[in-house]
Amino acid sequence: MPAIVSPSRVLHEVPDQAALDTLVERLGVERKLAGNLAQLCGFKQAPRGKRGEAEGWKKLDDVIWLQRDGDSRCVPVVGFHRKSDWIRTYCPELMGHMSEGSLANLLSGVKLKVNLWRKVAAPLAVLDLRDGASLTGIRPGLDAIATLAQMEEPIAKRARTDEDT
C-alpha cells in the first residue's frame, strides 16, 4: 500500500485513488499538487516516467534518515530544498548543526558525515507507524531496515568485491 509523507513529516496511507481523493479534500490540497500526488503514489502516469517527489511530499520508502553520533533519535528528511529557511521550517533538529549546503552534501553522499550527523537506514519503528503518525522522534532498535535503494548499492559493491577475490 502506498504510504506518503508530507513536508511536515506526517505519514499518510493511501491504498487507492479514493483514499488519496479523501486526503486531498481533507487537507485542502490544490489541484496541481493533487495530480502530482496521484503520480507519486503510482495512480497516474508521470510525464517523465516516475515521480520521486511532489512539492516536498515523498514516498515513505524514499525518506532519508539522519542520526547524530551519541543521540538515539533518527531525524527524517522529507522534500529537501536548498532554501535559506528550509532547516528551520521543516527540520529544526538540524538547526545550528549544519547549513542547507552542508545538508545537501550529506544527502547526496558528497560527505559521509557533517558535524557528527550521518545517513542511516530507516528505523524498524517505521514499520509500526499508521496513518496520521509523525515521523519525528523515532528511535531505532538494534537493527534497522533499509529501503531497496539503500540496499542495492552495498549489495552490488559486495558482489564485485567477492568476485575480485
Side-chain angles (χ1 to χ4, degrees):
M1 166 182 4
I4 57 176
V5 180
S6 70
S8 59
R9 303 184 290 180
V10 173
L11 176 71
H12 300 278
E13 295 175 338
V14 284
D16 53 33
Q17 182 66 52
L20 180 61
D21 292 343
T22 301
L23 174 67
V24 162
E25 185 176 328
R26 182 169 46 90
L27 297 179
V29 170
E30 294 178 9
R31 184 174 182 213
K32 180 181 177 188
L33 176 56
N36 290 342
L37 289 174
Q39 292 171 357
L40 181 67
C41 293
F43 302 141
K44 290 184 181 175
Q45 181 65 38
R48 290 177 285 284
K50 183 179 175 186
R51 179 170 292 281
E53 184 179 328
E55 294 183 32
W57 291 71
K58 279 191 166 285
K59 285 185 175 181
L60 178 60
D61 289 343
D62 294 335
V63 171
I64 296 174
W65 295 86
L66 302 179
Q67 187 174 22
R68 190 163 198 253
D69 289 351
D71 192 342
S72 62
R73 291 170 295 158
C74 289
V75 174
V77 178
V78 181
F80 173 68
H81 294 284
R82 275 184 107 154
K83 295 179 181 174
S84 61
D85 63 345
W86 188 89
I87 287 177
R88 180 171 37 95
T89 305
Y90 296 106
C91 216
E93 301 92 335
L94 302 177
M95 277 188 61
H97 295 278
M98 67 182 81
S99 66
E100 277 79 6
S102 295
L103 178 59
N105 287 335
L106 182 61
L107 298 179
S108 69
V110 170
K111 298 215 175 204
L112 298 178
K113 194 179 273 193
V114 173
N115 292 335
L116 303 177
W117 288 90
R118 59 189 159 76
K119 289 190 336 186
V120 296
L124 279 173
V126 171
L127 295 173
D128 295 327
L129 295 178
R130 296 292 172 248
D131 189 62
S134 173
L135 270 63
T136 60
I138 293 177
R139 299 179 190 283
L142 295 175
D143 299 314
I145 59 167
T147 63
L148 183 59
Q150 290 170 318
M151 290 172 45
E152 285 175 344
E153 186 179 321
I155 290 170
K157 285 181 182 175
R158 272 198 310 267
R160 284 193 302 271
T161 304
D162 292 342
E163 291 171 356
D164 296 338
T165 58

